[in-house]
């Protein structure tokens, strides 16, 4: 009975939260709340969560359930009201201003095809959904808006291998994680699995089956990847009974249908508690600690065109950083170096990694077409993580160009022990990542060892036309920034920042640079674990 009540109350909360999101979108409100939509930013709130990505959303839901009045501050906009074309997001094939965060031209990961820049378009500057932040030899893709990375990512919901999780976070009780918090996160995120029978015959995963066949030639197995994309919806897309999203080349600039983004799961439930408010287009710039222990945030409000509308102050007793690896790390590096929070330790800004990301393409034979209709949501990975020399988990990625390309694309996650760090640049008042091209070489070597074998056995070759020049491997961007505020180093074992009371980290910056798989399930589960402990022990009320 208790479980039925629990499910009912979660359903009810989601319903109330979804209604609040709908009202805010319909009226163009930047304050989203089931209770006080459109209200002005208060001077004081008991708890503030910065950001609305995975860690932030899980934290806010649990705070809201515990009755804690919580404000979420998100620099991006709300994405759930169709524009004049009837769509919330612009697709990948015809991106418009909605695609990228204040850029003049889109910056797609596949920079070229046959050396031609066919994917990118000039666009007006706007608070679009995908950002690409440049730091010398490395650039980082990030989601911007209510839902953070969930708005733009490939929906792959992977629980890491237990032995590797124990290796990267040895102080975290793995029994508890695998028995309680990973299942909790997967359930709340709405993770589902592709119908294997359908997979074997459908058109939209022909590309995955071709890559599986190529891997099998060297005795390598593939593994199915769970997802937060609704596979029943995907089936209907292929049948022609539902509007196309994954089958309409939608992913990095947002999905108009099918994906269980955080605004449909955790954030809707959080709003539905009645205790959580989301304030959009508000960027936290500074964290000031008051003599009485409160934190005052300096917040910059912008409109969707980037005009600064004003600077506001909001104070809180409990401050949770969920601005992502880049965002949260920058806030604390800036706070330490400008003397706002001088007691932060030297670990703040260290232990950053790319999750070993490297992308590559192979050219298949003419008798192995990959299909003109491709699901933008990957479901198969080549799992070679047990290889002691060259561990790699290579997800089989689509080339959703809408035409036959005979190309197989892969996002390989490799074990690369190199780590970057951040310093503060006073001239730009920002954190700078220190990561050199040489640090990414290990990822290329590992991926190459696997794909050389696959190419040799299949008499196929690498594609050299996909990354803007003639390189076969692209390791100068990452989708998976991790670390900067590593658990147990910059924080205690539960994300409490060392040196300051009531200051917490909840997001991907806690993870030391690598998870061996796509990271959002790990980020969510860790946030679930930490907030449960913090609510129980730190008497948050
Ligand atoms: P994140 O989701 O990045 O959220 C941070 C939020 O904070 C964002 O909404 C920011 O706008 C906001 N923010 C930042 N700074 C501020 C500030 N100063 N003030 C106010 N708001 C701020 O954080 N992972 C997977 O597991 N599976 C996938 O299939 C996958 N595919 C991906 C594909 C792409 C193109 C990208 C970009 C990422 C992908 N990822 C994938 C990575 C995943 O989305 C990422 O690890 C998580 O979103 C990180 O979660 P966090 O909670 O750390």
């Amino acid at each position: 009975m208790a479980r039925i009540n629990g499910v009912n109350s979660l359903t009810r909360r989601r319903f109330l939260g979804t209604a609040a999101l709908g009202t805010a979108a319909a009226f163009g409100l930047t304050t989203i709340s089931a209770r006080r939509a459109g209200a002005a930013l208060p001077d004081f709130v008991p708890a503030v969560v910065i950001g609305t990505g995975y860690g932030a959303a899980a934290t806010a839901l649990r705070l809201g359930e515990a009755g804690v009045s919580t404000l979420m501050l998100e620099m991006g906009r709300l994405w759930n009201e169709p524009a004049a074309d009837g769509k919330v997001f612009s697709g990948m094939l015809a991106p418009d201003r909605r695609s990228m965060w204040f850029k003049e031209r889109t910056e797609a990961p596949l920079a070229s095809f046959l050396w031609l820049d066919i994917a990118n378009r000039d666009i007006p500057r706007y608070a679009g959904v995908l950002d690409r932040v440049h730091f010398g030899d490395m650039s980082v893709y990030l989601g911007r808006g209510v839902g953070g990375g969930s708005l733009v990512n490939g929906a792959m919901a992977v629980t890491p291998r237990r032995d590797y999780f124990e290796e990267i976070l040895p102080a975290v009780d793995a029994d508890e994680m695998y028995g309680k918090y990973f299942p909790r996160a997967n359930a709340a995120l709405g993770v589902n699995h592709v119908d294997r029978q359908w997979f074997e015959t459908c058109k939209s995963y022909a590309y995955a089956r071709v890559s599986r066949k190529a891997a099998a030639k060297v005795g390598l197995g593939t593994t199915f990847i769970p997802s937060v994309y609704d596979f029943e919806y995907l089936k209907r897309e292929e049948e022609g009974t539902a509007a196309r999203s994954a089958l309409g080349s939608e992913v990095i600039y947002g999905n108009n249908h099918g994906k269980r983004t955080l605004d449909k799961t955790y954030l809707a439930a959080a709003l539905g508690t009645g205790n959580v408010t989301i304030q959009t287009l508000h960027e936290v710039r500074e964290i000031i600690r008051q003599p009485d222990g409160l934190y005052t945030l300096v917040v910059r409000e912008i409109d969707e065109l980037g005009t600064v509308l004003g600077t506001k102050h909001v104070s809180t007793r409990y401050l949770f950083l969920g601005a992502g690896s880049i965002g949260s790390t920058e806030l604390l590096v800036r706070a330490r170096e400008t003397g706002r929070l001088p007691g932060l330790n030297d670990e703040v800004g260290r232990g950053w990694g790319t999750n070993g990301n490297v992308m590559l393409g192979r050219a298949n034979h003419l008798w192995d077409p990959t299909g003109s209709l491709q699901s933008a949501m990957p479901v198969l990975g080549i799992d070679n993580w047990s290889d002691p020399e060259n561990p790699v988990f290579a997800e089989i990625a689509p080339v959703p160009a809408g035409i036959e390309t005979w190309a197989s694309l892969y996002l390989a996650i490799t074990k690369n022990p190199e780590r970057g760090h951040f310093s503060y640049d006073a001239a730009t008042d920002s954190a700078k990542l220190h990561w050199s091209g040489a640090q990414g070489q290990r990822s290329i070597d590992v991926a190459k060892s696997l794909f050389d074998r696959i190419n040799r056995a299949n008499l196929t070759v690498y594609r050299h036309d996909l990354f803007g020049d003639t390189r076969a491997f692209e390791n100068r961007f990452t989708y998976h920034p991790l670390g900067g505020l590593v658990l147990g180093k910059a924080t205690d074992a539960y994300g409490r920042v060392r040196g300051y009371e009531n200051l917490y980290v909840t997001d991907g910056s806690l993870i030391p640079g690598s998870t061996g798989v796509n990271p959002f399930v790990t980020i969510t589960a860790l946030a679930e674990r930490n907030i449960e402990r913090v609510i129980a022990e730190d008497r948050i009320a």
Side-chain angles (χ1 to χ4, degrees):
M1 188 62 189
R3 182 171 149 66
I4 292 172
N5 283 339
V7 171
N8 280 346
S9 72
L10 189 66
T11 309
R12 191 172 159 273
R13 279 186 191 138
R14 279 207 191 129
F15 176 78
L16 290 173
T18 303
L21 287 156
T23 306
F27 292 99
L29 305 177
T30 57
T31 310
I32 310 162
S33 163
R35 284 202 185 144
R36 35 182 293 279
L41 198 68
D43 295 333
F44 174 82
V45 199
V48 167
V49 178
I50 306 176
T52 55
Y54 290 92
T59 302
L61 170 59
R62 302 309 168 196
L63 287 169
E65 284 177 341
V68 182
S69 182
T70 303
L71 174 67
M72 304 185 83
L73 294 167
E74 168 57 53
M75 67 194 275
R77 53 162 280 198
L78 173 62
W79 290 97
N80 71 352
E81 180 69 5
D85 64 355
K87 292 181 176 176
V88 175
F89 299 104
S90 66
M92 265 193 312
L93 301 181
D96 61 25
R97 67 175 192 168
R98 290 169 286 181
S99 60
M100 294 209 76
W101 181 255
F102 297 110
K103 303 268 184 203
E104 264 126 42
R105 190 167 171 79
T106 58
E107 299 179 18
L110 279 192
S112 55
F113 198 80
L114 297 173
W115 295 280
L116 298 173
D117 178 4
I118 52 171
N120 290 308
R121 301 273 183 287
D122 290 339
I123 48 167
R125 288 172 69 77
Y126 183 73
V129 71
L130 181 70
D131 199 358
R132 184 174 181 165
V133 183
H134 298 274
F135 300 102
D137 286 350
M138 176 54 57
S139 61
V140 181
Y141 280 104
L142 299 167
R144 297 269 181 237
V146 175
S150 77
L151 298 166
V152 298
N153 68 31
M156 284 170 277
V158 193
T159 299
R161 287 170 57 129
R162 182 174 168 142
D163 56 350
Y164 191 57
F165 180 83
E166 289 174 347
E167 187 180 321
I168 55 165
L169 289 169
V172 176
D173 181 343
D175 279 345
E176 235 182 28
M177 286 299 290
Y178 285 78
K180 189 172 178 187
Y181 300 110
F182 278 119
R184 183 178 291 177
N186 278 309
L189 290 165
V191 174
N192 73 151
H193 303 261
V194 71
D195 172 341
R196 307 267 173 107
Q197 254 179 325
W198 178 79
F199 170 85
E200 294 303 338
T201 53
C202 69
K203 284 191 187 144
S204 47
Y205 285 115
Y207 76 90
R209 297 193 300 267
V210 164
S211 284
R212 178 178 64 182
K213 189 174 82 175
K217 276 222 172 167
V218 287
L220 284 165
T222 49
T223 172
F224 280 96
I225 298 176
S227 177
V228 293
Y229 197 87
D230 181 343
F231 284 118
E232 288 308 310
Y233 187 87
L234 187 67
K235 273 187 186 172
R236 292 201 282 125
E237 288 182 55
E238 184 157 320
E239 277 167 17
T241 56
R244 284 185 173 179
S245 183
L247 296 198
S249 303
E250 292 182 351
V251 54
I252 59 169
Y253 301 139
N255 281 90
N256 284 299
H257 308 279
K259 206 207 281 183
R260 294 167 182 157
T261 47
L262 288 168
D263 52 320
K264 299 186 174 63
T265 58
Y266 269 104
L267 292 171
L271 287 165
T273 65
N275 296 316
V276 175
T277 300
I278 300 175
Q279 188 76 53
T280 63
L281 295 166
H282 279 60
E283 182 192 3
V284 177
R285 296 291 307 170
E286 279 189 70
I287 303 168
I288 301 165
R289 189 171 159 93
Q290 304 295 351
D292 61 1
L294 295 189
Y295 294 96
T296 299
L297 305 177
V298 180
V299 184
R300 185 159 69 189
E301 183 183 8
I302 61 165
D303 67 14
E304 289 170 11
L305 300 178
T307 311
V308 177
L309 301 178
T311 299
K312 300 176 176 175
H313 293 83
V314 56
S315 295
T316 187
R317 180 160 301 283
Y318 301 99
L319 178 58
F320 295 85
L321 278 78
S325 165
I326 300 294
S328 293
T329 305
E330 172 165 87
L331 282 167
L332 289 196
V333 167
R334 183 189 287 130
R336 184 185 60 202
E337 299 306 315
T338 55
R340 295 291 197 195
L341 299 177
L344 293 171
N345 73 16
D346 287 347
E347 293 290 343
V348 166
R350 306 200 78 84
W352 186 87
T354 66
N355 206 19
N357 275 193
V358 51
M359 202 174 242
L360 65 126
R362 291 176 42 253
N364 291 293
H365 298 291
L366 286 182
W367 56 86
D368 275 331
T370 49
S372 55
L373 182 69
Q374 300 201 358
S375 167
M377 302 296 144
V379 285
L380 273 190
I382 302 171
D383 189 355
N384 197 38
W385 200 260
S386 308
D387 184 327
E389 303 282 303
N390 295 303
V392 49
F393 177 74
E395 68 204 29
I396 298 168
V399 184
I403 51 164
E404 177 58 54
T405 64
W406 287 275
S408 285
L409 191 69
Y410 304 87
L411 179 69
I413 295 171
T414 62
K415 190 171 179 181
N416 181 343
E418 290 289 340
R419 295 291 175 263
H421 69 276
F422 292 83
S423 64
Y424 176 66
D425 178 36
T428 55
D429 187 28
S430 61
K432 289 276 172 265
L433 172 66
H434 298 266
W435 172 272
S436 71
Q439 290 180 281
Q441 189 55 42
R442 172 79 187 135
S443 295
I444 291 184
D445 296 344
V446 169
K448 189 168 183 307
S449 78
L450 176 71
F451 286 97
D452 279 358
R453 278 165 61 201
I454 292 179
N455 275 337
R456 264 199 306 274
N458 289 278
L459 301 176
T460 51
V461 293
Y462 291 110
R463 298 277 306 224
H464 290 266
D465 59 324
L466 302 177
F467 307 117
D469 47 32
T470 56
R471 288 167 308 129
F473 296 90
E474 175 60 283
N475 69 343
R476 295 181 307 187
F477 72 72
T478 181
Y479 290 153
H480 300 164
L482 294 170
L485 305 168
V486 171
L487 192 80
K489 293 187 169 173
T491 75
D492 78 352
Y494 290 90
R496 301 174 178 107
V497 176
R498 292 200 198 277
Y500 289 91
E501 269 196 350
N502 304 334
L503 181 61
Y504 309 89
V505 180
T506 71
D507 56 27
S509 43
L510 291 172
I511 297 174
S514 165
T515 49
V517 293
N518 317 66
F520 74 61
V521 171
T522 310
I523 294 170
T524 310
L526 208 53
E528 288 277 19
R529 164 194 181 266
N530 294 348
I531 191 62
E532 187 171 89
R533 173 66 67 112
V534 163
I535 288 174
E537 282 185 358
D538 294 12
R539 289 199 236 110
I540 298 185

